[in-house]
Amino acid sequence: MSPELMTLWELAITFAKMGALIFGGGLVIVALIEDEIVIGQQWLTHKEFLDGLALGQVTPGPITILATFVGYKVAGIGGALVATIAIYAPGILLVILTTRYFQRVRHSRWVRAFLNGVKPAAVAVLVAVSLRLATTMIQEPLSVLLALAALGILLFSKIEAWMLILVGALIGLLWR
């Protein structure tokens, strides 16, 4: 197999594995993606990974954008297509294979028990990812102040997250 095809194959396998673990939203697997992409495969530096993650946060489908970004950085347009398709493949296959049985399965005691265990674990992963990203990205005094203000606004107001991200970007541009 040529090196180019091998790289595309590795991208497909890597992102299909990650796509299989998405439950309750893609942000649950940010730590997994970071470990695999930055530490395991060494396809991106930590800074490049954070840049891709930030880019994804200002667009619909942040994990899709991150997968596309990584795929493009690793193997150009072909890599972007492979990574984007691969991250969706497990979910699409699951829907295709389970739709027929959904009515029976959704009332299953076993499925409810499974979901009752997975949901708190998914929340714990989100908290851990948030703390991990916060300690990496929020180091300057202005960043700390902006993060605390944003957290307060999100918790105690009805402002939408995209507006908050836009205001943060504008403050960052004006501050530099």
Side-chain angles (χ1 to χ4, degrees), residues 82-135:
V82 166
T84 304
I85 292 168
I87 202 159
Y88 279 106
I92 290 169
L93 287 172
L94 181 66
V95 168
I96 290 169
L97 296 174
T98 61
T99 299
R100 169 186 268 180
Y101 306 103
F102 182 71
Q103 290 302 325
R104 271 189 276 163
V105 171
R106 79 177 193 164
H107 296 295
S108 162
R109 186 170 43 108
W110 294 97
V111 170
R112 283 198 313 263
F114 170 79
L115 293 176
N116 284 339
V118 169
K119 288 186 281 187
V123 170
V125 170
L126 281 172
V127 171
V129 167
S130 297
L131 291 174
R132 186 175 183 178
L133 290 173
T135 58

Side-chain angles (χ1 to χ4, degrees), residues 36-51:
E36 183 71 24
I37 300 305
V38 177
I39 298 164
Q41 299 287 349
Q42 297 179 348
W43 284 334
L44 269 63
T45 65
H46 187 67
K47 182 179 181 335
E48 288 172 326
F49 176 81
L50 292 176
D51 289 345

